């Protein structure tokens, strides 16, 4: 044992989104005093700050998509709008005085392990030191614009959904949307009544599970306020429902998968009577191979007389609209790219340089290998929240991050007590974890034959291929044999 540590461990958290706020709150609660959150924007909120497109909601029920220690009786709906989630995150951060720890407008460009510290360099030229770095930089953070020729030629406003231009009115306009993921399926019903014409450019159809989104009445909210235990029950009930249905279906429970598939097929049959349109909207891959879409309003919206699904491939973008492979020009006033995110970049907009000068970029050149989604051999005292192979997909990422933070607090206890100065996963432990992951992926629906943001270039999903119970068990306490603790 080395001498007891008298100076507080300096913990740098990168990003003030859902998981960064959580980490700051929990580390402070555990008695860490030198906690700094570096946030590149001028306000907190992460994905809920960046995404403001019409129709944005979270498709995980709000009574479960929240911090387990800050249940909220005020949600307006079963699936609440993004703006409400942003207000909730703001309220939690203010209530717990987390905002005092956030340094806004600080874009980290490099983090280098130098001796026993992490040297942080920001784009404004300033530097800072930290003993521990926690990247809370999110998964769906880097928008992808489609590689369609002529993109810059379009004469009207054109933007990605994650860079929504609130100043552009869609009223009476001919609007084109490229993409048919969760985002587009939320956007279409939200704008269809406003626009003169809506064209949805679809490369691949989606399975859609119809889920109603009822409001919580004032009477219900009064009840939730008076009986907080009902919120606790709701949190657990939603978790149990997700855990035992969709979460099982995607990792090989064929019975559950068949039930969900039937519900999606029934939805299509019942709500899209026109056989030609139905054929266009029918996927040729398994339900839940791509992230399952929840919507009760999409099919009705896309069947409005002034809406259309365009399946002819796009050849190029021209000043007046989109040219299709059959020569037709679809004339547009506004073009929206609902083309998703590079979910495989994770923290790599930042240059992370490990103990021996190795860059994370190099280490990950052949695959996003982590130990338990949290750490990487050769990068001591560097951790990620919601890193590669976390249980993402349809779980509440807030719950996942809570488990990861609780694990990290235990893992860092020897460091904090001064028993060691650095902790990093052993290469063998990391290799064993990844071998297990790869073996388990074979049973999942994600590799059953579709293109999705889940898959890396080699076709490996960046998801958790086991049950949530297994994740809970693994996050309950670290096995210190898997780590090197350096004095
Ligand atoms: P996405 O699921 O990745 O969908 C992107 C869409 O763009 C796909 O339909 C894709 O077609 C299409 N596309 C991409 N490049 C194209 C090109 N060059 N030409 C034509 N089409 C192209 O993205 P997203 O809808 O933004 O959703 C991403 C994830 O964000 C979701 O899966 C979900 O996890 C999260 N999200 C969550 C919520 C929520 O409620 N919690 C809401 C929105 C988003 P292909 O299918 O053919 O590739």
């Amino acid at each position: 044992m080395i001498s007891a540590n008298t100076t507080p461990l300096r913990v740098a958290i990168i990003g003030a989104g859902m998981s960064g706020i959580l980490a700051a709150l929990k580390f402070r609660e555990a008695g860490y005093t030198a906690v700094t959150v570096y946030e590149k924007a001028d306000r907190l909120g992460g994905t809920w700050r960046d995404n403001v497109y019409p129709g944005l909601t979270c498709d995980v029920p709000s009574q479960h998509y929240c911090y387990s220690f800050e249940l909220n009786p005020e949600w307006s709906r079963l699936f609440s709008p993004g703006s409400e989630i942003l207000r909730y995150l703001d309220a939690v951060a203010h209530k717990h005085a987390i905002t005092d720890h956030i340094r806004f407008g600080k874009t980290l460009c490099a983090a280098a392990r130098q001796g026993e510290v992490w040297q942080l360099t920001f784009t404004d030229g300033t530097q800072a030191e930290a003993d521990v770095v926690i990247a809370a930089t999110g998964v769906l953070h880097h928008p992808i614009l489609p590689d369609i020729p002529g993109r810059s030629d379009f004469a009207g406003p054109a933007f990605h959904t994650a860079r929504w231009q609130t100043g552009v009115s869609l009223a009476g306009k001919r609007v084109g949307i490229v993409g048919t993921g969760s985002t587009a399926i939320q956007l279409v019903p939200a704008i269809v009544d406003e626009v003169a014409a809506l064209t949805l450019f679809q490369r691949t159809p989606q399975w859609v599970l119809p889920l109603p989104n009822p409001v919580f009445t004032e009477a219900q909210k009064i009840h939730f306020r008076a009986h907080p235990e009902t919120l606790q029950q709701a949190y657990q009930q939603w978790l149990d429902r997700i855990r035992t249905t969709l979460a099982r279906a995607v990792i090989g429970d064929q019975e559950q998968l068949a039930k969900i598939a039937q519900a999606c097929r029934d939805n299509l049959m019942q709500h899209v009577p026109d056989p030609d349109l139905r054929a266009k909207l029918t996927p040729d891959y398994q339900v839940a191979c791509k992230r399952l879409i929840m919507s009760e309003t999409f099919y009705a919206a896309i069947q409005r007389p002034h809406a259309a699904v365009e399946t002819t491939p796009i050849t190029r973008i021209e000043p007046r609209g989109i040219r299709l492979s059959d020569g037709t020009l679809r004339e547009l006033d506004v073009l929206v790219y609902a083309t998703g995110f590079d979910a495989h970049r994770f923290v790599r907009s930042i240059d992370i340089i490990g103990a021996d000068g190795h860059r994370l970029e190099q280490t990950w050149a052949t695959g996003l290998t982590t130990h338990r989604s949290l750490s990487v051999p050769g990068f001591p005292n560097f951790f990620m929240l919601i890193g590669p192979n976390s249980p993402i997909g349809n779980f509440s990422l807030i719950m996942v991050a809570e488990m990861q933070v609780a694990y990290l607090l235990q893992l860092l206890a020897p460091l904090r007590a001064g028993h060691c100065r650095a902790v990093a996963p052993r290469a063998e432990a990391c290799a064993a974890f990844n071998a297990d992951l790869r073996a388990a992926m074979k049973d999942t629906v994600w590799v059953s034959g579709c293109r999705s943001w889940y898959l890396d270039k080699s076709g490996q999903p960046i998801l958790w291929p086991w049950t949530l119970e297994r994740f809970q068990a693994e996050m309950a306490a670290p096995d210190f044999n898997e780590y090197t603790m350096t004095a």
Side-chain angles (χ1 to χ4, degrees):
M1 174 175 161
I2 60 173
S3 61
N5 214 346
T6 47
T7 49
L9 267 190
R10 294 162 301 176
V11 178
I13 297 165
I14 316 305
M18 169 282 288
S19 59
I21 295 166
L22 171 75
L25 194 157
K26 287 292 171 186
F27 271 72
R28 240 209 16 207
E29 196 176 86
Y32 285 76
T33 51
V35 176
T36 309
V37 185
Y38 296 102
E39 167 55 57
K40 65 181 174 184
D42 59 2
R43 69 172 297 188
L44 57 76
T47 198
W48 302 108
R49 173 202 61 219
D50 291 347
N51 285 276
V52 295
Y53 62 82
L56 170 67
T57 55
C58 179
D59 61 11
V60 179
S62 303
Q63 290 186 327
H64 180 57
Y65 188 86
C66 55
Y67 298 113
S68 61
F69 51 90
E70 283 295 350
L71 302 180
N72 177 20
E74 311 301 335
W75 294 121
S76 63
R77 288 178 169 273
L78 181 60
F79 303 102
S80 298
S83 55
E84 217 176 297
I85 298 167
L86 182 60
R87 281 201 300 279
Y88 166 81
L89 292 176
D90 252 325
V92 172
H94 279 94
K95 177 178 168 186
H96 293 269
I98 296 308
T99 32
D100 301 346
H101 293 262
I102 306 176
R103 298 200 51 204
F104 290 103
K106 297 298 277 184
T107 304
L108 186 66
C109 52
R113 183 81 179 163
Q114 290 175 358
E116 287 181 353
V117 298
W118 281 97
Q119 191 73 44
L120 310 178
T121 305
F122 299 90
T123 50
D124 60 8
T126 58
Q127 293 203 314
E129 279 188 0
D131 301 302
V132 173
V133 174
I134 299 176
T137 42
V139 185
L140 298 165
H141 183 65
H142 308 283
I144 299 181
L145 289 168
D147 53 354
I148 302 171
R151 222 180 54 227
S152 56
D153 296 345
F154 187 64
F159 45 87
H160 191 277
T161 50
R163 300 288 179 269
W164 193 264
Q165 292 186 13
T166 45
V168 174
S169 168
L170 302 183
K173 303 272 172 61
R174 296 165 301 177
V175 177
I177 301 173
V178 180
T180 49
S182 302
T183 301
I185 274 43
Q186 291 184 345
L187 180 60
V188 168
I191 64 170
V192 72
D193 286 335
E194 192 186 348
V195 303
L198 188 151
T199 308
L200 182 65
F201 294 89
Q202 172 186 283
R203 189 164 68 179
T204 312
Q206 291 270 8
W207 290 113
V208 180
L209 188 68
L211 279 189
N213 188 13
V215 295
F216 287 119
T217 62
E218 197 45 40
Q220 283 175 301
K221 291 184 201 173
I222 289 169
H223 182 73
F224 295 145
R225 284 176 211 134
H227 301 281
E229 71 282 3
T230 56
L231 289 175
Q232 200 66 56
Q233 286 157 8
Y235 181 92
Q236 190 58 41
Q237 280 163 2
W238 279 115
L239 171 57
D240 290 343
R241 194 178 294 185
I242 298 166
R243 192 173 55 73
T244 55
T245 55
L246 184 54
R248 288 277 161 80
V250 290
I251 57 170
D253 183 333
Q254 295 306 321
E255 199 182 321
Q256 284 300 334
L257 193 61
K259 280 187 198 165
I260 297 168
Q262 193 58 49
C264 292
R265 275 196 296 271
D266 290 349
N267 187 30
L268 188 60
M269 283 300 290
Q270 284 164 16
H271 295 109
V272 184
D274 171 15
D276 291 337
L277 180 61
R278 197 161 65 223
K280 281 185 182 179
L281 293 173
T282 305
D284 63 358
Y285 56 87
Q286 280 205 57
V287 164
C289 182
K290 288 171 177 281
R291 185 180 187 279
L292 191 60
I293 288 181
M294 329 276 179
S295 174
E296 222 196 12
T297 51
F298 170 66
Y299 286 149
I302 202 63
Q303 290 174 88
R304 299 289 306 279
H306 64 299
V309 179
E310 181 56 74
T311 55
T312 309
I314 297 172
T315 301
R316 64 180 176 273
I317 296 170
E318 297 184 359
R320 289 190 299 134
I322 287 188
R323 180 77 63 183
L324 304 172
S325 63
D326 63 4
T328 316
L329 177 69
R330 289 268 171 262
E331 293 202 33
L332 302 166
D333 303 309
V334 179
L335 183 50
V336 177
Y337 301 116
T339 41
F341 301 86
D342 180 354
H344 300 253
R345 273 172 72 84
F346 286 95
V347 64
R348 279 180 298 167
S349 47
I350 303 163
D351 191 12
I352 309 286
I353 306 166
D356 57 1
H358 251 80
R359 295 186 134 81
L360 190 60
E361 189 71 44
Q362 295 166 292
T363 306
W364 277 0
T366 51
L368 301 175
T369 309
T370 71
H371 188 54
R372 305 205 176 285
S373 309
L374 286 165
S375 57
V376 184
F379 295 81
N381 295 3
F382 171 75
F383 305 98
M384 287 164 283
L385 297 175
I386 317 290
N389 296 109
S390 294
I392 48 176
N394 293 81
F395 282 117
S396 161
L397 295 195
I398 303 187
M399 176 197 65
V400 171
E402 282 190 31
M403 292 185 216
Q404 293 177 328
V405 169
Y407 177 99
L408 276 187
L409 282 168
Q410 296 176 71
L411 184 64
L412 290 174
L415 198 75
R416 188 165 176 229
H419 297 171
C420 65
R421 292 217 164 83
V423 53
R426 292 182 189 278
E428 319 81 76
C430 181
F433 174 68
N434 283 278
D436 285 354
L437 268 179
R438 277 178 180 270
M441 286 303 176
K442 292 201 275 291
D443 301 327
T444 68
V445 71
W446 309 310
V447 294
S448 62
C450 69
R451 172 174 46 205
S452 83
W453 63 261
Y454 288 164
L455 306 179
D456 69 13
K457 288 193 186 83
S458 68
Q460 279 296 310
I462 50 165
L463 285 84
W464 177 258
W466 297 295
T467 60
L468 184 70
E469 292 86 326
R470 176 163 171 169
F471 185 73
Q472 281 170 314
E474 293 191 7
M475 287 295 107
D479 175 353
F480 283 95
N481 294 317
E482 296 176 354
Y483 295 90
T484 308
M485 318 295 283
T486 311

